[in-house]
């Protein structure tokens, strides 16, 4: 593929413009709401613990939501699913904005709002390749740039706005952004059929029965055989549930049992789609690892204190990674030829870790900001291409479930990494912890980079879509 002609080309696609505008509205509203919630909860309770717990609730429900609800993006029309999720969140946030809502109810509603974001994100990610085609990587880069920029702007504008309006108004504004997003999705995207109708892979399932256990181990890319086998499980389980009903089980109970069985089977298929295929497994591992490079942001305050710096430095350190991410997403798609990008995934992952390892040298404030920014640059370059490769290596009928599982894995990896880093920083200090995070990350990234390279070599190189070619290619 020839060198990209810039990122602006994706905006010539009307459907992408609608998706981009809808996401921008949601991100800005979410950041405003996060600040508003923190102010609202702290104002009511005076408790830092309650405030931190509420802030955590804006992230953590997505951990389970991605695994359990990502299937909806494969079982329902994706445009309608996104629209319903947006409208539901708009309504719930409208209730949260009402004065005097009890704190416990506020937390319950918040969990539901965040959980509804999981199927929306899965459907959006699964739609992008269909919307953009060969411009998919450029679209991911634009989304990365927009997301990081909007988060920075959202936090800043949120703080400024709350000096003028109340937290309840901020929540109401977030509700309006979701309503606007629903309208953009409804009228900006064309309707598409359901990606994976129940039973659509039953015939292929029989063929896959004997191959699924060994196909991926041998080639790393038996996409059709192993995925069809996973999809066929639903059909067989449904048939079993129907058989039980025929032998006397109550019809309603049988229907519920079949629905639960199908749900569990779909969840298992989604997990298998990620961990059961070498290409997707390595790419997901790289994404999860690079996601852990946000650990320094969680240690920005004690890191600045260790440098005897004022609170302004905390903000500079936290802004360094997002700023580097914006630049990295632009550079990888604007300056690097498309055929070279897949080969740089592992290199960028290693470089992102080594940049943080440079903190062992005690670089001071300016050096630390630069190192964190460079880490963000390489991390973003890795993420854009790894995410693109992951989606392209996943059949359309599995994308919703696979993206949901991968997103949950990323949240889990980040949460565990930040928790462990916090415990370690209490013992050895924030500066050495950041350096150690980078060093360990670079070593693990090196192993994954070798596995990624072997997948390509064993499959006769990279295909035109940026993923290793199968032996059948």
């Amino acid at each position: 593929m020839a060198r990209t002609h810039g990122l602006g080309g994706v905006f010539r696609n009307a459907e992408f413009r609608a998706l981009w505008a809808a996401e921008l509205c949601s991100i800005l509203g979410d950041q405003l709401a996060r600040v508003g919630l923190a102010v609202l909860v702290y104002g009511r309770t005076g408790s830092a613990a309650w405030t931190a717990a509420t802030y955590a609730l804006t992230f953590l429900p997505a951990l389970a939501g991605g695994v359990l609800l990502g299937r909806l993006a494969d079982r329902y029309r994706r445009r309608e699913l996104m629209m319903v999720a947006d409208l539901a969140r708009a309504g719930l946030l409208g209730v949260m904005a009402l004065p005097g809502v009890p704190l416990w109810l506020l937390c319950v509603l918040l969990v539901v709002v965040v959980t509804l974001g999981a199927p929306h994100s899965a459907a959006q990610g699964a739609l992008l390749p269909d919307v953009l085609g060969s411009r998919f990587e450029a679209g991911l880069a634009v989304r990365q740039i927009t997301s990081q920029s909007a988060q920075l702007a959202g936090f800043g504008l949120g703080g400024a706005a709350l000096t003028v309006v109340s937290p309840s108004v901020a929540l109401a504004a977030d509700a309006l952004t979701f309503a606007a997003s629903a309208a953009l999705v409804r009228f900006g995207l064309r309707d598409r059929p359901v990606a994976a109708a129940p039973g659509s892979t039953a015939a292929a399932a029989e063929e896959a029965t004997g191959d699924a256990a060994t196909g991926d181990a041998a080639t790393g890319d038996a996409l059709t055989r192993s995925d069809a086998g996973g999809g066929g499980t639903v059909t067989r389980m449904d048939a079993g549930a129907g058989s039980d009903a025929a032998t006397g089980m109550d019809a309603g109970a049988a229907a519920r049992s079949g629905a639960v069985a199908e749900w569990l089977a779909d969840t298992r298929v989604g997990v298998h789609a990620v961990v059961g295929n070498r290409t997707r497994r390595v790419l997901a591992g790289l994404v999860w690892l690079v996601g852990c490079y946000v650990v320094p942001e969680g240690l920005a305050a004690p890191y600045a204190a260790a440098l005897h710096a004022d609170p302004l430095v905390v903000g500079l350190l936290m802004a360094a990674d997002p700023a580097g991410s914006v630049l990295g997403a632009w550079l990888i798609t604007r300056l690097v030829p498309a055929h070279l990008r897949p080969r740089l995934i592992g290199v960028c992952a290693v470089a992102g870790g080594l940049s943080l390892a440079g903190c062992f040298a005690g670089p001071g404030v300016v050096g630390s900001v630069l190192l964190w920014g460079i880490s963000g640059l390489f991390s973003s370059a890795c993420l854009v291409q790894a995410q693109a490769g992951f989606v392209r290596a996943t059949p359309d009928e599995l994308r919703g479930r696979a993206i949901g599982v991968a997103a949950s894995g990323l949240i889990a990896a980040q949460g565990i990494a930040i928790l462990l880093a916090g415990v370690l920083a209490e013992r050895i200090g924030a500066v050495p912890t950041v350096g150690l995070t980078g060093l360990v990350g670079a070593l693990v990234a090196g192993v994954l980079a070798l596995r990624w390279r072997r997948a390509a070599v064993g499959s006769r190189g990279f295909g035109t879509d940026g993923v290793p070619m199968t032996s059948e290619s």
Side-chain angles (χ1 to χ4, degrees), residues 82-189:
M82 294 171 65
M83 183 180 65
V84 169
D86 277 339
L87 290 175
R89 288 185 287 181
L92 292 170
L93 280 161
V95 175
M96 293 171 64
L98 296 174
V101 175
L103 186 58
W104 68 266
L105 181 57
L106 199 69
C107 291
V108 170
L109 293 174
L110 179 60
V111 168
V112 179
V113 167
V114 176
T115 302
L116 286 171
H120 182 284
S121 297
Q124 183 186 53
L127 271 177
L128 270 177
D130 295 333
V131 169
L132 289 173
S134 62
R135 300 290 295 167
F136 178 49
E137 286 85 353
L140 283 181
V142 168
R143 290 182 65 210
Q144 179 78 354
I145 292 170
T146 301
S147 174
Q148 297 294 330
S149 301
Q151 286 184 33
L152 287 171
F155 278 134
L157 293 175
L162 287 171
T163 64
V164 181
V165 301
S166 69
S168 292
V169 173
L171 291 172
D174 194 19
L176 291 177
T177 64
F178 278 119
S181 175
L184 286 165
V185 167
R186 173 61 181 83
F187 298 107
L189 296 179

Side-chain angles (χ1 to χ4, degrees), residues 29-382:
D30 281 348
Q31 299 308 94
L32 176 61
R34 283 191 173 109
V35 177
L37 275 171
V39 173
L40 178 64
V41 172
Y42 189 72
R44 286 193 188 181
T45 66
S47 168
W50 262 107
T51 305
T54 304
Y55 188 78
L57 287 177
T58 64
F59 294 98
L60 294 180
L63 176 60
V67 175
L68 298 177
L69 300 181
R71 69 182 292 271
L72 300 179
D74 294 330
R75 297 301 184 189
Y76 295 92
R77 294 177 184 270
R78 288 165 179 163
R79 185 188 68 174
E80 277 62 33
L81 178 62
M82 294 171 65
M83 183 180 65
V84 169
D86 277 339
L87 290 175
R89 288 185 287 181
L92 292 170
L93 280 161
V95 175
M96 293 171 64
L98 296 174
V101 175
L103 186 58
W104 68 266
L105 181 57
L106 199 69
C107 291
V108 170
L109 293 174
L110 179 60
V111 168
V112 179
V113 167
V114 176
T115 302
L116 286 171
H120 182 284
S121 297
Q124 183 186 53
L127 271 177
L128 270 177
D130 295 333
V131 169
L132 289 173
S134 62
R135 300 290 295 167
F136 178 49
E137 286 85 353
L140 283 181
V142 168
R143 290 182 65 210
Q144 179 78 354
I145 292 170
T146 301
S147 174
Q148 297 294 330
S149 301
Q151 286 184 33
L152 287 171
F155 278 134
L157 293 175
L162 287 171
T163 64
V164 181
V165 301
S166 69
S168 292
V169 173
L171 291 172
D174 194 19
L176 291 177
T177 64
F178 278 119
S181 175
L184 286 165
V185 167
R186 173 61 181 83
F187 298 107
L189 296 179
R190 67 177 179 85
D191 193 20
R192 290 173 170 82
V194 176
S200 60
T201 56
E206 296 303 321
E207 178 185 348
T209 302
D211 295 337
T214 59
D216 281 353
T219 68
D221 241 335
L223 297 178
T224 305
R225 291 193 300 269
S226 62
D227 292 339
T233 306
V234 177
T235 305
R236 288 192 295 270
M237 293 185 76
D238 285 344
S243 176
D244 289 341
T247 58
M249 180 183 282
D250 174 76
R256 289 191 296 272
S257 176
V260 171
E262 181 179 351
W263 197 289
L264 293 175
D266 267 352
T267 300
R268 187 167 60 251
V269 168
V271 173
H272 175 75
V274 177
V275 302
N277 174 272
R278 183 170 63 180
T279 296
R280 293 194 289 269
R281 184 169 61 244
V282 173
L283 287 172
L286 284 165
V287 169
W288 296 341
L289 173 67
V290 171
C292 293
Y293 292 164
V294 301
V295 160
E297 292 184 33
L299 298 177
Y303 191 102
L307 299 180
H308 307 290
D310 58 45
L312 175 62
V313 173
V314 177
L316 291 175
L317 288 170
M318 294 188 72
D321 183 271
S325 295
V326 170
L327 184 59
W330 181 81
L331 288 175
I332 190 68
T333 51
R334 184 67 181 89
L335 301 182
V336 180
H339 70 278
L340 292 180
R341 294 175 201 156
R343 294 168 171 80
L344 295 179
I345 292 177
V347 174
C348 289
V350 173
L354 290 178
S355 301
L356 295 179
C359 293
F360 273 128
V365 172
V366 175
S368 295
V369 170
L370 287 174
L371 287 173
W372 291 23
I374 293 171
S375 176
L377 183 153
F378 283 114
S379 298
S380 181
C382 172

